[in-house]
Amino acid sequence: MADQNKFKKVIAHAKEYGYIFQSSEIYDGLSAVYDYGQNGVELKKNIREFWWQAMVQMNENIVGLDAAIFMHPTTWKASGHVDAFNDPLIDNKDSKKRYRADVLIEDYVAKLEAKIEKEVKKAAKRFGDAFDKAEFLATNGRVKQYKEKGDAILKRMGKSLENEDLADVKALIEELEIACPLSGSRNWTDVKQFNLMFGTKLGASAESAMDLYLRPETAQGIFVNFLNVQKSGRMKIPFGIAQTGKAFRNEIVARQFIFRMREFEQMEMQFFVRPGEELKWYESWKEKRLKWHLALGLGADNYRFHDHDKLAHYANAAADIEFKFPFGFKELEGIHSRTNFDLSSHQKFSGKKVQYFDHELGESYVPYVVETSIGLDRMFLAVFSNALQDETLEDGSTRTVLKLPAVLAPVKAAVLPLVKKDGLPEVARKIIADLKFDFTMAYDEKDAIGRRYRRQDANGTPFCITVDHDTLNDNTVTIRHRDTMQQDRVKITDLKALISEKVALRYWLEKC
Ligand code: GAP
């Protein structure tokens, strides 16, 4: 269920601890554009690295690419984005607010889902240990009604959007009596299509300038380079090309913080396969990608698959991995079986052959593609919102802790001299001077030790290393674990191995 208070806390915490700032804040900001602060940039880099290593380093048949953001404008004609990369928009005549028609309907369905969850909670309380959630969902009359109603609404909307029947999308909004969240009015305009690409110009003079688009997805840079990579890398099908980079969309409904941005980063992989084998690979990538998510330990219950009713113009199967954000289950990653649409289309528009000769089959074909596509910023929000917790401790006091997976934490360990004198700061600095070759480290000597621990907890630092007077005699320090708050006395020379064990990419990649 949506938790608006939690979401507000996430946004405030992200700002207070240098993770995310509103872009151009001193000029009152720019809607749906955000900057990453000193901790945010590290967390984002670590997520990107974890994805890159899992996709490229761990798979000998996947290689990387970094294509330019600017692409020849015909790219977007061929990909279908000029004609079909639209969102259905609707205006409320009283509030003058603009909405995505499909989002209004999806929000209505989300309310039905929230009602189901409420029923489940009530029943779980009533039946205690004997409660069987699956059986309850399958048999409870009211829950079944909500579910059937939600499914029917989404199915009808999917069909209407696929058939470009925008009148029916409006009719659905009216039948469901959906009101403008701002004014409460049901005075709606017709539904219209709105293209999401940002246009720009390339060239010195107005007359000769060429119209360009900022790429709305990174995938097309991979498609147009398919033959370059395949030939230069002597790649054999099946193989993949992975890329991370910025994408831009003129989103109509830009809200929910970094969930839906106008400038964002994608991590995409196109996997090229034999025609007819795409659905087998589609299933396999669905499974692999879910495993990658689960490896981070954010909780299996927080993920679910959503199979698409409405397929994009290029797909013959598509599913989202949805994550339970503070505002409910929403798309985190898409896995799409894109057929040979893109490569065939680039072949047609460029007039150049985009084919692969399969030596085993002794024939040429345009490969089929299975794509995995995840928003880096959206993954950031999933990790960050899941990690932020308020805990009541045994002594009744509370702490705010950011339980980031250690591999992703911006700072791996903070070194804290117990007091600012007696040579303790010097020893602390020496420990940092050694460990900084392996880990991002922080030094903090201000305030009482308890306050410093809390600061590092809220910052997401997995380890605090305290240097005290005993350290001067026996070269041992206290290492405190963020999540359990357990403290162990260890030798300085053992610190590297102890931290490594929990933060090394290998430990996390082995779970993928
Ligand atoms: N190449 C396929 C593609 O772009 P998509 O479902 O439109 O598919 C893929 O986008 C992922 O990119 C989404 O699952 C989401 O994580 C992320 N994404 C899309 N639009 C976004 C936006 N406006 N802000 C942040 N992330 C976005």
Side-chain angles (χ1 to χ4, degrees):
M1 202 191 301
D3 183 344
Q4 282 309 321
N5 278 342
K6 166 86 194 258
F7 192 35
K8 278 187 196 152
K9 270 190 193 163
V10 165
I11 297 169
H13 197 88
K15 181 173 179 190
E16 190 182 344
Y17 284 85
Y19 278 86
I20 298 170
F21 309 125
Q22 174 76 61
S23 160
S24 331
E25 196 185 305
I26 59 167
Y27 294 107
D28 296 333
L30 193 60
S31 159
V33 187
Y34 291 91
D35 298 339
Y36 287 84
Q38 66 278 16
N39 278 319
V41 70
E42 293 287 338
L43 173 54
K44 202 173 168 197
K45 181 181 70 128
N46 293 343
I47 297 173
R48 192 190 294 112
E49 185 65 8
F50 184 53
W51 181 88
W52 187 265
Q53 300 269 347
M55 300 302 268
V56 179
Q57 187 159 323
M58 301 308 292
N59 293 289
E60 65 181 69
N61 61 348
I62 299 182
V63 292
L65 179 77
D66 184 14
I69 287 173
F70 290 144
M71 298 185 70
H72 193 282
T74 311
T75 308
W76 306 109
K77 194 74 196 143
S79 67
H81 283 81
V82 171
D83 298 318
F85 194 54
N86 301 319
D87 271 347
L89 69 85
I90 190 165
D91 292 290
N92 184 272
K93 290 184 195 165
D94 297 318
S95 68
K96 311 276 182 248
K97 269 297 266 188
R98 178 160 283 186
Y99 296 95
R100 260 177 67 176
D102 55 336
V103 170
L104 283 178
I105 296 169
E106 277 166 11
D107 284 351
Y108 181 92
V109 174
K111 282 187 191 142
L112 294 176
E113 283 172 0
K115 283 183 181 170
I116 295 177
E117 249 190 72
K118 211 168 159 188
E119 294 290 338
V120 168
K121 268 197 185 147
K122 254 174 28 192
K125 210 168 160 193
R126 190 156 14 111
F127 295 116
D129 286 347
F131 180 62
D132 181 337
K133 186 174 170 186
E135 194 189 328
F136 179 76
L137 290 174
T139 54
N140 181 277
R142 201 172 316 158
V143 164
K144 273 169 60 186
Q145 243 179 16
Y146 290 143
K147 174 96 177 71
E148 278 160 19
K149 186 172 178 190
D151 288 350
I153 291 170
L154 290 180
K155 201 162 173 204
R156 175 167 158 197
M157 179 181 82
K159 218 165 152 206
S160 305
L161 289 173
E162 207 169 324
N163 299 335
E164 291 278 316
D165 185 355
L166 300 182
D168 191 57
V169 177
K170 182 179 181 190
L172 187 54
I173 288 175
E174 286 175 338
E175 280 167 39
L176 297 173
E177 300 188 344
I178 295 175
C180 165
L182 207 70
S183 63
S185 138
R186 297 196 188 108
N187 194 8
W188 296 110
T189 61
D190 287 341
V191 178
K192 283 176 281 190
Q193 291 289 23
F194 175 81
N195 194 287
L196 299 184
M197 282 196 294
F198 281 107
T200 185
K201 301 249 181 222
L202 180 131
S205 72
E207 307 82 61
S208 63
M210 189 185 204
D211 286 318
L212 288 191
Y213 293 106
L214 297 184
R215 67 181 178 197
E217 62 171 12
T218 56
Q220 296 305 324
I222 292 179
F223 289 127
V224 301
N225 277 296
F226 165 72
L227 279 184
N228 284 338
V229 175
Q230 189 270 316
K231 292 212 159 94
S232 59
R234 299 154 60 90
M235 305 302 290
K236 283 202 178 63
I237 272 178
F239 75 92
I241 304 177
Q243 173 169 227
T244 70
K246 289 272 176 125
F248 304 83
R249 296 183 189 178
N250 196 2
E251 297 283 359
I252 307 165
V253 186
R255 58 188 164 122
Q256 291 167 325
F257 196 36
I258 56 168
F259 180 81
R260 200 178 299 287
M261 302 158 88
R262 295 202 163 102
E263 174 182 340
F264 58 101
E265 190 164 338
Q266 288 187 313
M267 307 190 286
E268 298 202 296
M269 193 278 300
Q270 320 296 132
F271 200 69
F272 300 93
V273 303
R274 280 182 184 162
E277 294 193 351
E278 71 276 11
L279 292 179
K280 179 186 86 181
W281 285 109
Y282 166 72
E283 291 303 333
S284 149
W285 276 109
K286 269 175 79 173
E287 202 181 303
K288 275 196 198 157
R289 291 303 304 148
L290 183 63
K291 232 174 144 198
W292 180 85
H293 285 282
L294 295 177
L296 285 173
L298 308 190
D301 287 350
N302 289 323
Y303 298 90
R304 70 181 187 194
F305 278 114
H306 165 72
D307 295 313
H308 285 206
D309 292 319
K310 179 193 176 232
L311 290 174
H313 58 274
Y314 49 73
N316 68 359
D320 297 334
I321 295 177
E322 292 188 337
F323 183 77
K324 197 172 183 188
F325 290 97
F327 38 83
F329 271 102
K330 295 274 177 204
E331 174 186 347
L332 171 58
E333 169 159 7
I335 293 115
H336 312 125
S337 172
R338 286 180 83 127
T339 67
N340 63 357
F341 171 85
D342 300 87
L343 291 183
S344 297
S345 200
H346 287 305
Q347 178 168 263
K348 189 170 127 207
F349 276 78
S350 67
K352 313 239 166 60
K353 235 178 171 185
V354 185
Q355 299 205 354
Y356 170 81
F357 183 74
D358 191 322
H359 286 276
E360 269 177 44
L361 297 180
E363 63 181 64
S364 287
Y365 52 77
V366 179
Y368 272 52
V369 172
V370 173
E371 159 185 83
T372 71
S373 174
I374 176 167
L376 175 50
D377 313 84
R378 217 171 263 193
M379 184 63 195
F380 186 115
L381 182 58
V383 169
F384 192 87
S385 58
N386 182 276
L388 186 62
Q389 294 173 23
D390 282 329
E391 277 185 356
T392 305
L393 307 177
E394 272 174 19
D395 63 2
S397 64
T398 56
R399 70 163 181 161
T400 298
V401 53
L402 196 59
K403 291 187 171 175
L404 295 170
V407 66
L408 303 181
V411 175
K412 303 300 188 217
V415 186
L416 321 172
L418 192 62
V419 289
K420 270 193 265 181
K421 53 183 185 179
D422 304 337
L424 302 190
E426 287 74 12
V427 177
R429 292 278 185 203
K430 240 174 105 186
I431 292 173
I432 291 183
D434 178 35
L435 292 181
K436 74 179 178 186
F437 287 95
D438 300 289
F439 315 111
T440 42
M441 304 291 296
Y443 174 82
D444 191 1
E445 61 176 23
K446 197 168 173 287
D447 299 323
I449 193 75
R451 286 189 69 176
R452 280 184 269 166
Y453 283 153
R454 290 287 179 276
R455 207 151 48 221
Q456 294 301 332
D457 287 347
N459 210 43
T461 309
F463 299 103
C464 283
I465 297 159
T466 308
V467 176
D468 56 26
H469 291 95
D470 288 342
T471 310
L472 303 176
N473 301 323
D474 61 8
N475 283 322
T476 65
V477 287
T478 300
I479 185 164
R480 175 184 178 271
H481 303 257
R482 177 197 64 198
D483 296 351
T484 56
M485 296 192 297
Q486 187 186 313
Q487 300 191 13
D488 302 317
R489 198 74 194 173
V490 301
K491 285 194 202 132
I492 291 175
T493 45
D494 288 344
L495 282 171
K496 182 177 165 186
L498 280 168
I499 299 170
S500 231
E501 200 190 322
K502 289 289 175 329
V503 308
L505 267 163
R506 183 189 179 113
Y507 168 78
W508 298 83
L509 286 170
E510 276 174 352
K511 296 195 240 179
C512 291

